[in-house]
Amino acid sequence: MLQKEELKRYSRQMILPELGLKGQGKLKSAKVLMIGAGGLGCPVLQYLAAAGVGEIGIIDDDVVDETNLHRQILYFHEDIGLKKAEAAAQKLKKLNPFIKIETFTERLNADNSSSIFANYDLIIDGSDNFPTRYLVNDTCVELNKTLVFGSIFKFEGQVSVFNYKYGAQYRDIFPEAPQKHEVPNCAEIGVIGVLPGIIGTLMANEAIKVITGIGKVLSGKLLTFNALDGNMQVFGFKPSYKNFVKSNNESISEADSEETPINIADLIHQLNQEPSNICLIDVREEYEYQDFNIGGINIPLYELKERLAEIPLGKILVFCCQSSQRSKLAAKLVKPLYEGSILYLKDGVLAS
């Protein structure tokens, strides 16, 4: 329920017929996680806090640096050296005392992404590196979370919404990350200070539309903006990977899937008894596999169809991933193409 003070605070947006009291109630009930409290995160956080999003999570392990201040407008000179997530939270609480804010000052990685994301309805990615972007995307797909995405480079920015109602995802438009030397960071190439404000505000707008159900979301569309010439374009794109999940917000579950789970204890027993009969396939991304694995071969889920020849014949296949969602999809994909038993690791490699 909105308090009397909140009704006054949000009155100018609540009089919009598209939003109204119902829409404001949705904002109040929403739980949003912001990845990164830098150039993009600052305007996103300010506008979502001002709009009345009820719970906001901020994850960022960085500290405020003097070189941030020309574009990361949440921070003041006296904030230099402070954790960005905590400094941002302090500012946002002063902006709107009616919202809840949770901070995570550790670095996002394959070990904590699922547990953190699970508590939020909407994920917003303002990260500045490709490994994090792919991790965020893959975790959102695995947990069926909508992802609002933004990026900036010199004078240009991009905005899109991924995995919205099982729609297109980040990998559909950017299948593979560029090499490190191909994309320099802001410290090397520079960025004009107003650009993250423009792109971040557009990201906040998409988040509000997703939460309240108004307007047309940038799902299957990539908005680009050039700050030098003011040119803004929207490009359409379609999912390039087979959609293994059902429509109408129903994901594959134990009850409606023919795939068979195996727990970690039984897998270890089978490997000890007959190791030559089992082929363990980790379908996470290479960086996840290198960070932590329980053995086997690594073939990312979205490369399975092209790399089927690498799977040995006559084996019991056991697919594994971080939590079991991707491994279930892998088992479903391979089953019609493989003669033999196919299992997936229940609860994923983290259960080990």
Side-chain angles (χ1 to χ4, degrees):
M1 291 290 292
L2 293 167
Q3 300 180 36
K4 180 180 179 180
E5 294 89 344
E6 291 179 281
L7 294 174
K8 181 178 181 180
R9 176 182 288 262
Y10 310 128
S11 61
R12 295 300 186 269
Q13 65 188 29
M14 288 174 58
I15 61 176
L16 294 168
E18 294 86 352
L19 191 70
L21 181 61
K22 183 178 180 181
Q24 193 63 53
K26 290 180 179 180
L27 289 170
K28 174 82 171 181
S29 301
K31 298 180 179 180
V32 176
L33 177 67
M34 182 73 226
I35 312 296
L40 293 172
C42 284
V44 171
L45 289 167
Q46 282 180 294
Y47 274 102
L48 293 187
V53 170
E55 295 189 29
I56 298 176
I58 309 170
I59 180 165
D60 196 313
D61 69 333
D62 200 6
V63 298
V64 179
D65 185 83
E66 190 167 8
T67 60
N68 301 147
L69 299 182
H70 87 291
R71 67 192 185 279
Q72 300 181 18
I73 41 76
L74 258 182
Y75 309 119
F76 304 152
H77 184 81
E78 55 264 32
D79 294 322
I80 293 174
L82 300 179
K83 287 284 189 178
K84 287 183 179 180
E86 295 175 348
Q90 291 176 1
K91 302 292 195 307
L92 298 175
K93 288 175 182 177
K94 291 181 180 179
L95 173 62
N96 191 343
F98 299 101
I99 63 175
K100 297 179 181 179
I101 301 176
E102 184 175 12
T103 59
F104 304 89
T105 56
E106 68 264 38
R107 188 168 187 81
L108 186 71
N109 56 51
D111 292 329
N112 62 19
S113 59
S114 291
S115 60
I116 293 175
F117 285 22
N119 297 319
Y120 293 91
D121 309 313
L122 177 65
I123 312 300
I124 305 180
D125 185 11
S127 62
D128 60 359
N129 65 86
F130 285 98
T132 300
R133 290 173 185 169
Y134 284 98
L135 171 63
V136 170
N137 173 80
D138 295 347
T139 306
C140 286
V141 171
E142 189 169 332
L143 300 180
N144 190 30
K145 304 285 184 179
T146 297
L147 169 63
V148 175
F149 165 80
S151 68
I152 53 174
F153 181 74
K154 295 178 68 175
F155 295 95
E156 298 182 358
Q158 301 175 337
V159 181
S160 189
V161 177
F162 299 123
N163 204 43
Y164 178 68
K165 296 182 178 180
Y166 299 105
Q169 56 159 296
Y170 183 73
R171 288 183 180 276
D172 292 325
I173 192 168
F174 302 112
E176 297 180 3
Q179 298 297 317
K180 289 184 178 180
H181 67 274
E182 295 178 339
V183 184
N185 57 35
C186 289
E188 299 170 326
I189 201 68
V191 60
I192 191 166
V194 298
L195 181 63
I198 296 168
I199 299 302
T201 304
L202 291 170
M203 293 167 67
N205 185 56
E206 290 304 307
I208 291 173
K209 290 192 294 182
V210 170
I211 293 168
T212 60
I214 64 174
K216 294 183 178 179
V217 174
L218 285 173
S219 176
K221 298 176 182 178
L222 182 71
L223 182 151
T224 66
F225 174 76
N226 187 304
L228 280 181
D229 57 21
N231 185 36
M232 182 178 290
Q233 295 179 297
V234 178
F235 301 93
F237 63 96
K238 296 181 179 179
S240 59
Y241 298 113
K242 185 176 179 181
N243 187 1
F244 297 106
V245 290
K246 296 182 177 180
S247 58
N248 301 320
N249 294 327
E250 291 182 3
S251 57
I252 297 173
S253 66
E254 299 274 348
D256 55 24
S257 172
E258 297 179 355
E259 285 60 61
T260 304
I262 182 172
N263 61 45
I264 188 66
D266 289 340
L267 174 61
I268 293 173
H269 177 74
Q270 291 286 345
L271 288 172
N272 289 334
Q273 293 295 316
E274 299 177 297
S276 61
N277 289 340
I278 294 177
C279 177
L280 178 65
I281 305 174
D282 192 319
V283 294
R284 296 175 300 159
E285 292 304 302
E286 182 179 358
Y287 67 88
E288 294 178 271
Y289 180 80
Q290 291 177 348
D291 185 57
F292 171 77
N293 67 79
I294 58 173
I297 61 176
N298 177 220
I299 305 179
L301 174 64
Y302 302 115
E303 299 178 14
L304 265 177
K305 292 182 68 175
E306 291 73 28
R307 296 174 60 180
L308 282 174
E310 298 178 30
I311 300 177
L313 300 176
K315 303 281 188 179
I316 298 174
L317 302 186
V318 179
F319 290 102
C320 67
C321 66
Q322 187 166 315
S323 66
S324 78
Q325 293 298 313
R326 277 177 282 180
S327 57
K328 278 196 281 188
L329 300 184
K332 191 174 184 67
L333 169 64
V334 173
K335 189 168 186 175
L337 309 173
Y338 187 85
E339 293 185 5
S341 298
I342 300 177
L343 311 173
Y344 69 88
L345 182 61
K346 185 178 181 181
D347 300 325
V349 295
L350 297 183
S352 61

